[in-house]
Amino acid sequence: MFNLAVQYLIIHSCVWVFASGQSASNCAAKETCEECIQDINCAWCINSENDNGGQSVHCNPKNESQNWCQQSDLISPSMSIQVNKDLDFSNDIDNPVQIRPQAVKLSLRKGETYDLRFKFKSAANYPVDLYYLMDLSKSMEEYKDNLATLGIQLAETMMNITTNFRLGFGSFIDKRELPFVSTVPQKLSSPCVTTSKVKCVSPYSFKNHLSLSADYQRFVSQVKAAKVSGNLDSPEGGLDAIIQAMVCKAKIGWREQARHLLVFSTDALFHIAGDGKLAGVIEPNPARCYEDDADYLTYDYPSVSQLNYVANENNVNIIFAIVKKGNDLFTAYKRLSLNVKNSNFGELSDKGGKNVVHLVVDNYNKIVQSVKFTHDAPAEVDIKFTSNCNSAIPGRCGDIHVGKEVDFVASIQVRDCPTDGSLARRITIRPEGLNENLTIDLDLLCECSCSSPGHASFKRDSEQCNNQGNLKCGICDCFEGRFGRNCQCDSSLSSSDNVTNCFMEGSTDICSGAGTCKCGKCECQNNNKNPNQRIYGQFCECDNYSCKREGGLLCSGKGNCNCKKCECQAGFTGDACECDESQVNCIAPGSDIICSNHGKCQCGRCECEMTDNNRYTGKYCEDCPSCPAQRCEELSHCVQCQVYKTGKYEKTCGIDCTAFETIVLESLDDNPVDDIKKCKIPDNDTCIINFDYYYKGDNNLVVRALKKKVCPEQANVTAWIFGVIASIVIAGIILLLIWKILTSIHDRREYAKFENERKNLKWGTGDNPLYKEATSTFANPAYKRNSVRMSK
Ligand SMILES: *[C@@H]1O[C@H](CO)[C@@H](O)[C@H](O)[C@H]1NC(C)=O
Ligand SMILES: *[C@@H]1O[C@H](CO)[C@@H](O)[C@H](O)[C@H]1NC(C)=O
Ligand SMILES: *[C@@H]1O[C@H](CO)[C@@H](O)[C@H](O)[C@H]1NC(C)=O
Ligand SMILES: *[C@@H]1O[C@H](CO)[C@@H](O)[C@H](O)[C@H]1NC(C)=O
Ligand SMILES: *[C@@H]1O[C@H](CO)[C@@H](O)[C@H](O)[C@H]1NC(C)=O
Ligand SMILES: *[C@@H]1O[C@H](CO)[C@@H](O)[C@H](O)[C@H]1NC(C)=O
């Protein structure tokens, strides 16, 4: 019985945990150390004294651990942070430091969040590499000449911003293949009609004229010396050139620690991935530095997302400086810029691009005045940025200037433990466009040290596990085929199990017929398809769905079903909690008498009295049709004689009916008192008399009757008979009439037809073919001169 009570206790606490929401941890339900520590609120004890229903529980709420576990036995890995590298901010030209700290080591448990604080400070004189990539088709000649003169100004302005500035120059035309350029030999060597003194050179895909250098005089001379070229179609191979300029790091001379700007200047659209097919080039762009020129004809143009990826990988900020030649061109580059991270877009003015210096400086300022942090955390780690700079975009700060320190917080949370057992993660947090980072070496605390053979508590083939398993973190890890707390059970021998302990007292069914006996314990058959129904108990004798129902609801919805019995809420009793203990429902409205004094309030309902003569009914036992108070029948005889002069006392009314005088009324609709009794008594076979009565004052009886009896109207039999006969006759006459009308209409039609035909008859004059003239001519062969003619 004690065990049962414990079972109830466990069940109840489980229900409570469920009811109180997901946040509460059910530590006791965790069976292994790993499961336990993957819940941030729980801790594992190797040798647990904590007793719960005769079974020691190893996993318990962490905050109370000192009460139930010796410190040496406790497994509860805790968060730790160690800063490995934290150089001071530095403006050093070769080694600028703008982010602090630079490297940390962090250990976190699943569900735990650590707020990592770090700072960013823009360094003065931070190195800047600017590579100017120009379309050198014939139409760009004017812009090239202006760039040559503006080069010095550009360099000086930039050097005003940072003394550590390097400038480079490159150009592009397109792939040397039809239909992009003409491959007719003389066209290939000199593709444009040159009127000016500038020589037109053979087209090329990309040419690096000047690697990044601080010598801006050379920039000017190189731009001056660069020769224009020509091609056939309007789009150019610009994307090919951008990729090359970004990935050929050594050739271009990009520095690791520097801001990388690439100004891309053109007046034409660009070819993208797929366009190569026009020239039979189908190999996708590999986004790597080409060894020789033939590679341009081997690989297709890059795609926009490739461009974005490469620019981001190499921390290059692209500035698209586009000649305003048409709206299509402009929108195309604007949209390209939107799809490439950290790129900007500007217009080269029609005065030969003289605003290029402004454009570059403005965009440079735009770039350096804001900082945005990104991370490369794997899916199981969640990182969210916040900062002290009131920015709408987390992890981004605008309005940064040299020397200003900005604080950031990266909230790092481990969402999940990996299943493959690899627990180390390297995460970098870095400002976009800058080649500096904060490296986090993250350790996921998902495993228990006591699970590995090296731990002191780990015992192979432990006696405690009947030599059938390893003792691991204080519990048995049974070998295959064994189970049970001490690996005492053999799964292959379940049929020959000792079932002695699986019978409930007085029962002949194993596990009450609702479970199987496994290793001396009942395993109840719970149907997973119906999670609302649960069988439980040491002998599976309990369930939470076989309680009494009332109104279709288990325990009337007023209690819990526990072990086939309703546990009612306060105020309710009964097998199905159907009884409301309060008596409110037994008292008629406007009264304070329980069940009108004619019954008992039972279970929230009146149970009315019943004697030999009287039978009280009604919700509040307020009705009693057979009681003396219900005197309709009794009073009706006097009402009959007094009002209608009929009935039993017709002759003796004055003698027998003296108790009251009936008031005669036209209508009985008004009710002078509430408990007025209405009576309807049949007078004779057909009529009903209507009256009512009530008590006034000291039981003075008042009887009121309707002046007229209610009689169903007498049916007039003769009228009925005549009516039926008349209607039959009328129906007959109507039928005759219809017949007459129809026949005369038919006759008229036939007559008219006849008349018509008669009129149309025509009598022609002619010989009757049947008629034979009655004249015969005879010739007398003997008669010669005179012939004899005979007439009719
Ligand atoms: C432990 O935490 C639980 C819930 O978070 C709280 O109810 C309980 O009071 C805490 N116990 C101690 C000793 O802090
Ligand atoms: C450089 O800065 C100084 C002072 O701020 C200014 O006078 C000068 O005109 C700037 N030079 C250029 C080329 O912008
Ligand atoms: C982060 O910075 C270190 C040097 O500070 C560098 O070695 C490492 O490659 C950088 N990592 C990334 C992903 O940029
Ligand atoms: C079964 O278990 C009961 C109680 O543990 C024990 O008394 C009985 O001897 C066992 N029977 C067998 C066949 O082992
Ligand atoms: C029975 O128990 C299960 C499991 O605890 C629960 O989900 C279900 O709601 C319970 N059913 C009733 C009717 O209380
Ligand atoms: C019933 O009452 C009506 C109206 O008073 C009367 O005309 C009729 O004769 C009565 N019938 C019998 C059978 O008493």
Side-chain angles (χ1 to χ4, degrees):
M1 222 41 224
F2 170 72
N3 265 337
L4 267 183
V6 169
Q7 290 276 3
Y8 289 167
L9 218 113
I10 296 170
I11 289 151
H12 267 257
S13 57
C14 287
V15 166
W16 178 82
V17 165
F18 261 88
S20 61
Q22 294 290 325
S23 58
S25 304
N26 186 0
C27 295
K30 316 274 189 221
E31 282 177 359
T32 66
C33 181
E34 277 75 18
E35 253 183 76
C36 183
I37 66 158
Q38 286 183 22
D39 188 321
I40 188 68
N41 298 314
C42 304
W44 183 266
C45 195
I46 294 173
N47 293 310
S48 182
E49 306 286 296
N50 207 30
D51 219 63
N52 195 346
Q55 306 194 335
S56 62
V57 172
H58 292 269
C59 192
N60 280 287
K62 185 168 71 175
N63 62 352
E64 290 157 5
S65 61
Q66 67 276 15
N67 300 341
W68 51 268
C69 193
Q70 283 184 357
Q71 202 53 37
S72 56
D73 286 340
L74 190 70
I75 304 281
S76 179
S78 58
M79 186 272 304
S80 72
I81 173 92
Q82 183 192 329
V83 176
N84 287 340
K85 194 174 171 196
D86 189 16
L87 303 176
D88 203 356
F89 290 121
S90 153
N91 288 336
D92 185 66
I93 288 178
D94 294 324
N95 258 320
V97 177
Q98 298 186 106
I99 182 168
R100 276 189 75 180
Q102 293 88 37
V104 299
K105 185 171 164 52
L106 182 65
S107 305
L108 280 183
R109 265 169 80 167
K110 183 187 163 189
E112 208 168 13
T113 305
Y114 180 72
D115 286 345
L116 176 65
R117 289 167 193 287
F118 61 97
K119 290 172 192 292
F120 179 82
K121 185 174 168 186
S122 225
N125 278 330
Y126 195 79
V128 175
D129 287 348
L130 189 149
Y131 193 75
Y132 204 102
L133 183 60
M134 194 167 192
D135 177 358
L136 276 192
S137 56
K138 186 71 177 54
S139 54
M140 288 293 285
E141 199 172 355
E142 180 192 4
Y143 294 90
K144 181 191 79 89
D145 292 345
N146 274 325
L147 183 62
T149 51
L150 292 170
I152 292 172
Q153 200 191 327
L154 176 66
E156 279 178 348
T157 315
M158 286 305 286
M159 278 176 176
N160 241 8
I161 296 168
T162 168
T163 52
N164 196 350
F165 176 69
R166 297 216 255 159
L167 195 56
F169 178 64
S171 67
F172 66 92
I173 305 289
D174 211 337
K175 289 190 197 291
R176 274 166 69 94
E177 189 57 84
L178 272 173
F180 313 124
V181 302
S182 171
T183 48
V184 178
Q186 32 318 21
K187 273 278 177 195
L188 197 60
S189 61
S190 178
C192 32
V193 196
T194 44
T195 47
S196 62
K197 50 210 169 302
V198 178
K199 235 197 111 201
C200 187
V201 296
S202 177
Y204 49 89
S205 280
F206 167 66
K207 192 186 277 175
N208 175 32
H209 297 265
L210 174 67
S211 298
L212 290 160
S213 119
D215 184 355
Y216 50 87
Q217 291 295 353
R218 264 184 74 202
F219 176 81
V220 173
S221 59
Q222 284 294 328
V223 174
K224 267 190 189 151
K227 308 217 168 41
V228 292
S229 181
N231 60 339
L232 280 181
D233 62 346
S234 159
E236 320 274 5
L239 300 198
D240 243 352
I242 299 179
I243 294 279
Q244 289 306 305
M246 290 193 294
V247 298
C248 297
K249 285 187 181 171
K251 193 155 115 193
I252 307 296
W254 297 107
R255 287 173 291 181
E256 279 291 316
Q257 295 281 332
R259 282 194 188 273
H260 307 146
L261 300 186
L262 192 150
V263 180
F264 177 82
S265 168
T266 186
D267 65 347
L269 281 172
F270 48 90
H271 281 299
I272 55 165
D275 286 358
K277 266 189 190 168
L278 294 172
V281 179
I282 48 164
E283 199 76 8
N285 195 291
R288 59 169 170 78
C289 192
Y290 293 153
E291 310 280 304
D292 55 74
D293 280 352
D295 283 341
Y296 293 100
L297 296 180
T298 311
Y299 299 110
D300 196 3
Y301 296 99
S303 67
V304 173
S305 67
Q306 228 172 355
L307 181 69
N308 176 42
Y309 178 78
V310 173
N312 199 37
E313 277 291 288
N314 295 290
N315 296 317
V316 178
N317 293 289
I318 302 173
I319 301 170
F320 294 102
I322 308 302
V323 176
K324 184 148 193 181
K325 263 199 172 165
N327 277 333
D328 282 357
L329 183 69
F330 239 54
T331 14
Y333 277 101
K334 217 172 218 168
R335 284 172 59 191
L336 177 63
S337 163
L338 286 178
N339 283 298
V340 179
K341 245 193 195 172
N342 299 318
S343 72
N344 283 290
F345 167 86
E347 178 192 347
L348 273 190
S349 77
D350 42 9
K351 289 177 217 113
K354 284 189 181 139
N355 65 334
V356 71
V357 177
H358 270 281
L359 194 67
V360 171
V361 172
D362 282 356
N363 278 299
Y364 175 78
N365 285 336
K366 232 188 257 175
I367 292 162
V368 297
Q369 271 170 14
S370 74
V371 61
K372 180 163 188 263
F373 279 92
T374 55
H375 63 79
D376 57 358
E380 63 265 24
V381 181
D382 199 25
I383 297 187
K384 287 197 183 75
F385 292 108
T386 45
S387 67
N388 64 347
C389 65
N390 290 329
S391 165
I393 305 162
R396 184 198 170 96
C397 268
D399 193 24
I400 288 191
H401 45 82
V402 170
K404 184 179 171 187
E405 228 176 79
V406 194
D407 292 318
F408 284 90
V409 176
S411 300
I412 305 166
Q413 187 183 34
V414 179
R415 269 198 227 145
D416 267 316
C417 276
T419 45
D420 60 356
S422 61
L423 298 174
R425 296 283 182 276
R426 170 164 282 195
I427 299 168
T428 53
I429 290 178
R430 65 182 182 90
E432 272 179 7
L434 283 180
N435 199 356
E436 275 186 63
N437 66 49
L438 161 54
T439 308
I440 301 164
D441 284 313
L442 181 65
D443 255 342
L444 308 176
L445 302 174
C446 293
E447 280 181 1
C448 294
S449 54
C450 55
S451 295
S452 53
H455 196 268
S457 71
F458 189 94
K459 286 196 188 78
R460 251 179 233 287
D461 295 351
S462 165
E463 262 176 54
Q464 197 182 322
C465 306
N466 290 313
N467 292 350
Q468 297 293 344
N470 299 330
L471 190 64
K472 206 169 157 185
C473 297
I475 54 166
C476 286
D477 182 18
C478 302
F479 298 147
E480 220 176 298
R482 305 292 297 197
F483 65 97
R485 196 170 184 79
N486 302 104
C487 306
Q488 74 276 29
C489 300
D490 190 335
S491 54
S492 58
L493 298 173
S494 56
S495 52
S496 62
D497 237 356
N498 186 345
V499 294
T500 327
N501 288 332
C502 288
F503 286 102
M504 195 162 112
E505 249 182 79
S507 168
T508 50
D509 288 332
I510 294 176
C511 298
S512 313
T516 48
C517 187
K518 279 221 172 131
C519 200
K521 264 188 178 175
C522 282
E523 254 180 37
C524 304
Q525 284 166 343
N526 272 309
N527 184 355
N528 289 334
K529 281 181 201 146
N530 200 345
N532 265 342
Q533 302 191 342
R534 208 167 70 88
I535 303 172
Y536 54 95
Q538 194 186 353
F539 306 107
C540 303
E541 74 281 20
C542 292
D543 69 49
N544 72 349
Y545 57 88
S546 312
C547 290
K548 276 202 177 172
R549 286 164 188 270
E550 189 72 36
L553 291 173
L554 201 61
C555 301
S556 312
K558 298 282 176 3
N560 286 329
C561 182
N562 194 355
C563 206
K564 307 185 181 178
K565 286 226 174 80
C566 286
E567 290 174 349
C568 303
Q569 291 168 8
F572 294 92
T573 55
D575 286 349
C577 304
E578 75 281 20
C579 292
D580 191 344
E581 284 177 338
S582 79
Q583 300 187 320
V584 181
N585 289 337
C586 294
I587 300 169
S591 162
D592 52 2
I593 303 160
I594 291 166
C595 299
S596 314
N597 270 343
H598 292 304
K600 278 187 203 140
C601 187
Q602 290 275 332
C603 199
R605 256 187 259 145
C606 283
E607 283 190 358
C608 302
E609 278 171 8
M610 223 190 290
T611 63
D612 285 346
N613 300 322
N614 308 330
R615 189 182 282 257
Y616 288 91
T617 59
K619 196 175 174 203
Y620 309 108
C621 305
E622 77 282 16
D623 285 343
C624 181
S626 60
C627 294
Q630 297 277 346
R631 299 166 68 187
C632 290
E633 182 70 35
E634 175 202 345
L635 298 176
S636 66
H637 304 298
C638 286
V639 173
Q640 265 176 321
C641 80
Q642 284 181 357
V643 182
Y644 313 108
K645 314 276 184 276
T646 57
K648 206 169 154 186
Y649 302 139
E650 192 183 345
K651 306 271 158 49
T652 58
C653 203
I655 304 153
D656 290 318
C657 298
T658 50
F660 62 92
E661 188 67 35
T662 307
I663 305 163
V664 183
L665 293 172
E666 296 283 345
S667 155
L668 292 176
D669 288 346
D670 65 318
N671 296 329
V673 294
D674 273 347
D675 62 343
I676 189 161
K677 307 284 179 199
K678 305 257 179 201
C679 303
K680 283 183 184 186
I681 298 286
D683 173 33
N684 53 26
D685 289 343
T686 55
C687 293
I688 286 168
I689 58 169
N690 262 315
F691 66 98
D692 56 25
Y693 69 95
Y694 58 94
Y695 303 99
K696 202 174 144 192
D698 297 322
N699 270 1
N700 272 333
L701 185 63
V702 180
V703 181
R704 316 181 306 160
L706 211 56
K707 193 172 173 187
K708 275 187 184 159
K709 294 185 200 176
V710 179
C711 300
E713 268 172 32
Q714 283 269 319
N716 190 341
V717 180
T718 39
W720 263 101
I721 291 168
F722 274 112
V724 170
I725 291 172
S727 46
I728 289 171
V729 169
I730 288 168
I733 288 171
I734 288 172
L735 277 175
L736 276 173
L737 265 175
I738 289 170
W739 175 78
K740 180 69 191 154
I741 288 166
L742 284 177
T743 47
S744 28
I745 286 172
H746 186 251
D747 285 355
R748 269 167 201 250
R749 277 213 190 125
E750 289 294 306
Y751 180 70
K753 219 168 160 187
F754 167 74
E755 278 289 300
N756 219 16
E757 274 172 14
R758 201 168 60 96
K759 259 186 223 153
N760 287 344
L761 274 184
K762 286 202 184 105
W763 300 100
T765 48
D767 287 333
N768 186 343
L770 300 178
Y771 175 73
K772 281 209 170 102
E773 217 173 335
T775 310
S776 313
T777 307
F778 300 93
N780 187 354
Y783 182 69
K784 294 258 168 119
R785 258 179 280 165
N786 301 318
S787 60
V788 178
R789 198 179 177 99
M790 281 185 58
S791 63
K792 347 176 207 182

